[in-house]
Amino acid sequence: MKPSLRSRQEPRRVSNGVIIGAMLLSLCVLSIVKARYCATPFGKAEDQLQEQMNASIRMETDESPARTPGEEEEDEPEEVPSTALAVTTPAAVSTTTGGKGRKAGKDRKGKAKPTCYTTSKRSERCDASGDIRVDGNRSTIYVSGIDREWRTKPYARYHDPVAMAHVREYTLKPLGAAGDAAPACTKNHSVPGFMFSNGGFSGNLYHDYTDVLVPLFISTHQFKGRVKFLLSGMKPWWVAKFTPFFQQLTRYDVIDVDNDQEVHCFPRILIGATFHKDMGVDPRRSPGHVSVVDFKRALRRAFGLEREAASRGGATGTGKPRLLIISRRGSRRFLNERDMARAAAEAGFEVRVAEPDQHTDMATFAKLVNSADVMIGVHGAGLTNMVFLPRGAVLIQVVPFGGLEWLTSVTFKDPAADMEVNYMDYNVKLEESSLIDQYPRNHQVLTDPYAVHKQGWDALKTAYLDKQNIRVDLDRFKATLQEAMSRLP
């Protein structure tokens, strides 16, 4: 009786074990499949793919085809102290040491000590007081009270080795070090010096603001003009373009530190501006708790922009709101621009079409943008002119086909709200894109944009930014204009 009972129970135990094993195996397979195929490519900030893309993206213009929008990051608290920096590679970023770094202060002998520290994942600063001698011809700054060399690059894009390769490195050396006699002062200054660079991607309007001008405002507005700018990598045409803005931050002419034959001596030197976020300011971290609205006010003063608020009645005496269409010559251009202008006029707008480039007079174009109530353009550096829009104006960003919403959000959508600008997307459908004429209907570029994204920034840029133009659906465009009109004050 017992043997027969055992013989009936053993197969059942074996069968249960097989079933349990099969279930565990199925769960493992499902987990792998979900991780490989079901994850949303850009749904979460911690997604590895997005991190990789964010580290690569740059803003492209027709004038600089080899250069390509800034990336979205979670910033570290401002002025996180770090170890003494010896930056030997363009992308190097200092690491913190237990939260205790060398702050600017005095040692036991009363000598001033410099400190270099990261202010975000993209920027670092060196700050020194005492006997400071700047010898730009040798890319050297002699500082009293330090016992070792420190090296830094004064440009707020430390995460990007391509940009940093075009930024000159400066070395802070101990004053009076053996075998390295410091040069005598030929120009003495009674106010602090602030060094920054317009190397990197400067010349591209988006990078001018994101990497240089906004960080410069964050870092120097509190001096109330009593600071001298030392500019490395100076491009005279670039300085002339933004001189009205610099005059809001300093009372003095900008010094071409790389080529100046003087040895400039300061009571204090600050090197490198603080980055907060793309095209933006974090009031919680900025001296005086200023915001990007304060930055816009400085721009308005600099370029004599009198119009503070947009209106359905417009600002030109016509009783109509003004629509500004940002035109492009190369890729991502409107193929039916004239039809768009005609449709906008029929919808009740006074229409202007303009194409900014590196040679555009900044003051003249700023006034044109400031006169607009609605501005529309395809994703690109030209939309950076949103900084001149009056409060309550509407910005319409035309998002090219290809799943680029994450990119267009970081560069212009997110900053718009802080700038008191109403933001709207116009997402291009496949039928409106020139890509439909360039690829077979079953091509991956048309059917699976995220598969192209996974190939990296260069593949994405080539497919959806370099080769794409847009023929706007006029019915959709008219509906968009009606909504923009309704959002105006």
Side-chain angles (χ1 to χ4, degrees):
M1 189 72 179
K2 290 182 180 179
S4 62
L5 179 60
R6 186 181 299 113
S7 65
R8 288 195 301 268
Q9 289 176 337
E10 287 176 352
R12 184 177 299 173
R13 291 173 182 169
V14 173
S15 177
N16 290 341
V18 171
I19 292 173
I20 293 171
M23 290 175 65
L24 291 174
L25 180 61
S26 298
L27 288 173
C28 292
V29 172
L30 286 172
S31 298
I32 294 172
V33 171
K34 181 179 180 181
R36 175 65 179 85
Y37 297 104
C38 300
T40 302
F42 301 100
K44 296 182 179 180
E46 66 269 23
D47 185 275
Q48 293 182 356
L49 178 59
Q50 185 174 7
E51 289 290 336
Q52 178 185 1
M53 299 295 285
N54 282 346
S56 304
I57 54 180
R58 308 176 191 96
M59 186 66 71
E60 281 283 359
T61 61
D62 298 330
E63 290 74 24
S64 55
R67 296 182 179 181
T68 61
E71 107 284 26
E72 186 179 26
E73 304 182 81
E74 292 183 8
D75 299 317
E76 298 171 3
E78 186 174 6
E79 301 186 0
V80 176
S82 66
T83 56
L85 300 177
V87 183
T88 56
T89 60
V93 178
S94 60
T95 56
T96 59
T97 53
K100 295 183 179 180
R102 297 173 61 189
K103 293 288 187 181
K106 294 184 178 180
D107 61 15
R108 295 176 183 175
K109 297 180 181 180
K111 295 181 180 179
K113 288 184 178 180
T115 179
C116 289
Y117 47 86
T118 57
T119 53
S120 78
K121 292 180 181 178
R122 289 175 48 162
S123 57
E124 71 178 19
R125 173 182 292 175
C126 291
D127 186 349
S129 298
D131 188 351
I132 312 294
R133 307 183 189 186
V134 180
D135 185 354
N137 287 308
R138 300 180 183 176
S139 302
T140 303
I141 302 170
Y142 295 90
V143 182
S144 61
I146 61 174
D147 56 7
R148 54 155 296 172
E149 292 186 0
W150 301 45
R151 298 179 185 177
T152 189
K153 291 188 173 187
Y155 187 74
R157 202 171 178 83
Y158 260 76
H159 69 297
D160 191 333
V162 177
M164 298 308 290
H166 299 280
V167 180
R168 190 171 184 173
E169 183 179 76
Y170 269 76
T171 302
L172 282 71
K173 288 188 175 183
L175 185 65
D180 192 6
C185 301
T186 61
K187 282 228 172 178
N188 289 284
H189 306 278
S190 60
V191 298
F194 190 95
M195 182 182 291
F196 65 105
S197 174
N198 72 341
F201 296 142
S202 299
N204 174 298
L205 194 63
Y206 179 83
H207 291 291
D208 288 339
Y209 281 89
T210 291
D211 301 340
V212 182
L213 299 181
V214 175
L216 186 66
F217 173 79
I218 293 170
S219 303
T220 65
H221 75 88
Q222 69 270 23
F223 289 102
K224 301 185 185 304
R226 294 190 56 79
V227 61
K228 289 197 174 184
F229 288 166
L230 297 92
L231 179 57
S232 176
M234 177 186 279
K235 305 178 183 76
W237 62 267
W238 187 90
V239 173
K241 190 173 187 177
F242 295 110
T243 289
F245 176 71
F246 295 147
Q247 291 173 343
Q248 300 299 310
L249 300 174
T250 178
R251 304 174 185 177
Y252 312 98
D253 292 336
V254 177
I255 298 171
D256 181 0
V257 66
D258 294 344
N259 301 305
D260 191 278
Q261 300 302 312
E262 307 285 355
V263 175
H264 295 273
C265 294
F266 295 91
R268 181 185 179 190
I269 188 77
L270 298 98
I271 308 166
T274 296
F275 174 91
H276 284 178
K277 54 185 178 179
D278 292 86
M279 294 282 290
V281 180
D282 183 352
R284 298 168 300 177
R285 299 170 54 197
S286 60
H289 303 291
V290 295
S291 69
V292 75
V293 172
D294 297 298
F295 173 76
K296 286 185 64 176
R297 288 196 188 101
L299 283 176
R300 201 162 58 237
R301 291 193 300 268
F303 295 106
L305 307 180
E306 298 180 356
R307 192 172 184 227
E308 294 189 15
S311 169
R312 293 189 198 182
T316 59
T318 63
K320 296 180 178 180
R322 173 172 283 184
L323 171 70
L324 176 61
I325 300 176
I326 300 296
S327 185
R328 294 176 62 93
R329 281 180 297 182
S331 63
R332 286 166 281 152
R333 69 180 183 272
F334 291 122
L335 298 176
N336 57 341
E337 195 168 75
R338 290 185 180 180
D339 293 335
M340 292 170 60
R342 190 178 301 111
E346 292 174 355
F349 285 92
E350 181 194 352
V351 183
R352 292 289 183 274
V353 179
E355 181 187 325
D357 58 29
Q358 289 183 353
H359 308 291
T360 300
D361 179 74
M362 181 62 70
T364 301
F365 200 81
K367 287 181 172 63
L368 175 61
V369 175
N370 187 245
S371 74
D373 301 284
V374 179
M375 187 172 83
I376 184 171
V378 184
H379 170 78
L383 294 185
T384 309
N385 288 288
M386 65 187 282
V387 295
F388 301 121
L389 286 172
R391 183 180 67 252
V394 178
L395 173 67
I396 305 173
Q397 179 174 203
V398 177
V399 181
F401 175 83
L404 303 179
E405 291 77 13
W406 62 274
L407 170 61
T408 56
S409 292
V410 170
T411 49
F412 299 113
K413 179 179 181 179
D414 295 343
D418 291 340
M419 293 187 187
E420 301 181 326
V421 171
N422 291 309
Y423 177 87
M424 293 176 59
D425 278 326
Y426 182 100
N427 292 287
V428 173
K429 295 183 178 180
L430 180 56
E431 292 74 18
E432 298 173 283
S433 170
S434 65
L435 297 178
I436 200 171
D437 299 320
Q438 301 175 39
Y439 296 94
R441 276 288 189 157
N442 61 349
H443 196 281
Q444 188 181 62
V445 168
L446 306 184
T447 61
D448 193 357
Y450 289 113
V452 178
H453 291 195
K454 291 177 182 179
Q455 297 172 28
W457 170 253
D458 289 337
L460 178 155
K461 171 181 163 298
T462 299
Y464 301 115
L465 298 179
D466 292 347
K467 294 184 177 181
Q468 183 171 187
N469 297 312
I470 290 97
R471 186 177 298 277
V472 171
D473 181 290
L474 294 179
D475 290 333
R476 289 188 65 207
F477 179 60
K478 291 175 183 177
T480 299
L481 290 181
Q482 289 177 359
E483 182 178 351
M485 182 86 76
S486 70
R487 294 193 182 192
L488 289 174

